[in-house]
């Protein structure tokens, strides 16, 4: 069984993945912010479930935007377990609105969680994985990391950045026996969609006239869909994540689309051979395409 660290475990995909992994017998470190404040009740719920079911699940404070918090959490885990087998980067926030009307500070905030948060986690965890010659990093992105949705521009940009970062990491860490995979969820009814702030640049916002109401209409359409019988269970993303963890080393795909795909499966199938050809044929680095075995 694996020793698994999951970020953003207070709700949504992270919460479900933590429960699913623990039920399967893995040791799970379910990390989140504000475990003694906003998320205190969620911490109690997870810990009670673990106690009642005799599961190896621990809740730990971790803010992916705070390097000190990240370092403290990793040190705590390594002090107890020696290493980390699997890192699931799930923490994320979503800004939906007039892209131009978000301030640069808001853009930085979106990237600080969705992109730099993952970079902080990777830098903290990979030294232990490389030393062990083994490990798995799963980065949760989105269809919005491959496609671009109007009025989701800042969010899409952050997820596109994670996609490129993860693809490069997959090549670079392969010789050390460490794998990187991406899970790309489609639309699911979690609270992610409604966490973004309003656009700060009100002057620009007003200049969009009738168009400034479009993002709210889009959110309402998504909300109606999530309340319909056609909506998919977010557990599907947790199941797809667990499937990756179960796979044998060297067999895991770079990308797994989870749920409604809007053509992303086809997009990935067409572009990945081009990407790999760049590394193999153009750069003459074929050795980066195969993960080293212990």
């Amino acid at each position: 069984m694996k020793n698994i660290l999951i970020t953003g475990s207070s709700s949504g995909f992270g919460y479900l993945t933590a429960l699913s992994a623990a039920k399967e017998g893995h040791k799970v470190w379910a990390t989140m912010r504000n475990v003694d404040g906003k998320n205190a009740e969620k911490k109690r719920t997870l810990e009670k479930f673990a106690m009642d079911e005799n599961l190896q699940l621990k809740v730990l404070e971790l803010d992916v935007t705070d390097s000190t918090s990240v370092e403290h959490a990793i040190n705590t885990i390594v002090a107890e377990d020696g290493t980390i087998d699997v890192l699931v980067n799930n923490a994320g926030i979503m800004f939906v609105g007039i892209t131009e009307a978000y301030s640069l500070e808001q853009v930085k905030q979106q990237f600080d969680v969705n992109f730099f948060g993952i970079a902080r986690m990777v830098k903290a965890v990979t030294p232990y994985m490389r030393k062990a010659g083994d490990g798995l990093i799963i980065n949760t992105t989105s269809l919005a990391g491959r496609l671009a949705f109007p009025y989701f521009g800042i969010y899409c940009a952050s997820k596109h950045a994670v996609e490129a970062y993860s693809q490069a990491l997959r090549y670079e860490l392969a010789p050390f026996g460490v794998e990187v995979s991406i899970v790309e969820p489609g639309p699911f009814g979690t609270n992610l969609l409604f966490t973004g702030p309003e656009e700060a640049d009100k002057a620009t916002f007003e200049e969009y006239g009738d168009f400034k109401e479009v993002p709210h209409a889009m959110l309402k359409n998504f909300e109606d869909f999530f309340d319909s019988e056609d909506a998919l269970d977010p557990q599907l993303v947790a199941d797809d994540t667990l499937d990756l963890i179960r796979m044998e080393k060297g067999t895991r795909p770079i990308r797994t689309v989870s749920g409604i795909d809007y053509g992303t499966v086809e997009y990935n199938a067409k572009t990945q051979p081009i990407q790999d050809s760049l590394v193999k044929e153009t750069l003459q680095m074929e050795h980066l395409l195969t993960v080293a075995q212990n």
Side-chain angles (χ1 to χ4, degrees):
M1 292 295 102
K2 304 293 185 181
N3 180 27
I4 303 174
L5 188 170
I6 304 172
T7 67
S9 298
S10 63
S11 63
F13 305 139
Y15 181 79
L16 294 172
T17 302
L19 289 177
S20 299
K23 289 177 184 177
E24 195 159 294
H26 300 289
K27 181 171 183 181
V28 175
W29 292 88
T31 72
M32 62 188 74
R33 297 182 300 164
N34 302 320
V35 296
D36 297 319
K38 175 184 175 182
N39 290 320
E41 182 59 33
K42 192 56 65 78
K43 175 186 178 182
R44 285 192 290 270
T45 300
L46 283 169
E47 290 179 336
K48 184 179 185 305
F49 181 83
M51 182 178 296
D52 292 345
E53 300 293 326
N54 193 29
L55 303 177
Q56 294 191 84
L57 188 154
K58 293 191 175 184
V59 179
L60 184 64
E61 173 79 29
L62 193 159
D63 181 349
V64 299
T65 69
D66 184 335
S67 296
T68 300
S69 175
V70 170
E71 181 180 358
H72 180 266
I74 299 307
N75 287 343
T76 298
I77 296 171
V78 172
E80 181 167 327
D81 296 329
T83 188
I84 297 170
D85 299 315
V86 181
L87 167 63
V88 180
N89 281 312
N90 173 79
I93 56 175
M94 179 185 288
F95 292 4
V96 181
I98 304 298
T99 299
E100 182 191 355
Y102 280 110
S103 68
L104 289 181
E105 285 304 313
Q106 288 178 315
V107 175
K108 291 176 183 178
Q109 182 185 357
Q110 176 77 103
F111 271 77
D112 201 20
V113 177
N114 290 5
F115 177 71
F116 293 113
I118 287 179
R120 289 186 187 95
M121 293 302 301
V122 168
K123 284 187 66 64
V125 170
T126 49
Y128 299 101
M129 291 183 172
R130 284 188 285 101
K131 183 178 180 180
D134 196 20
L136 171 63
I137 298 170
I138 300 176
N139 291 333
T140 307
T141 62
S142 167
L143 302 186
R146 301 295 272 168
L147 309 174
F149 294 79
Y151 307 106
F152 289 68
I154 307 303
Y155 177 73
C156 288
S158 70
K159 291 300 187 177
H160 273 70
V162 175
E163 288 275 345
Y165 177 76
S166 301
Q167 181 72 74
L169 272 180
R170 182 176 172 92
Y171 293 133
E172 294 174 31
L173 291 176
F176 297 94
V178 180
E179 289 186 279
V180 178
S181 287
I182 304 168
V183 175
E184 300 170 335
F188 287 93
T190 69
N191 65 356
L192 176 67
L193 195 62
F194 308 101
T195 57
E198 293 183 357
E199 304 90 327
D201 184 351
K202 296 303 181 185
T204 299
F205 178 79
E206 292 300 329
E207 289 173 2
Y208 271 72
D210 292 341
F211 289 103
K212 66 179 182 289
E213 302 301 327
V214 174
H216 297 287
M218 291 179 69
L219 289 176
K220 182 62 169 60
N221 287 337
F222 275 115
E223 187 175 9
D224 290 343
F225 170 73
F226 296 145
D227 289 336
S228 74
E229 61 182 15
D230 295 325
L232 298 177
D233 187 344
Q235 180 64 40
L236 178 60
V237 178
D239 293 342
D240 285 341
T241 302
L242 263 292
D243 283 344
L244 285 170
I245 294 172
R246 293 187 197 105
M247 290 181 185
E248 291 186 12
K249 184 175 180 177
T251 68
R252 298 177 175 106
I254 173 62
R255 291 178 174 86
T256 298
V257 177
S258 190
I260 299 171
D261 75 294
Y262 296 147
T264 305
V265 171
E266 181 181 5
Y267 182 91
N268 290 342
K270 289 182 176 180
T271 57
Q272 193 59 44
I274 298 172
Q275 173 65 63
D276 287 341
S277 177
L278 168 69
V279 174
K280 179 180 180 180
E281 305 295 340
T282 305
L283 302 179
Q284 297 291 298
M285 295 181 177
E286 185 176 359
H287 62 285
L288 300 183
L289 299 179
T290 304
V291 63
Q293 301 294 325
N294 287 339

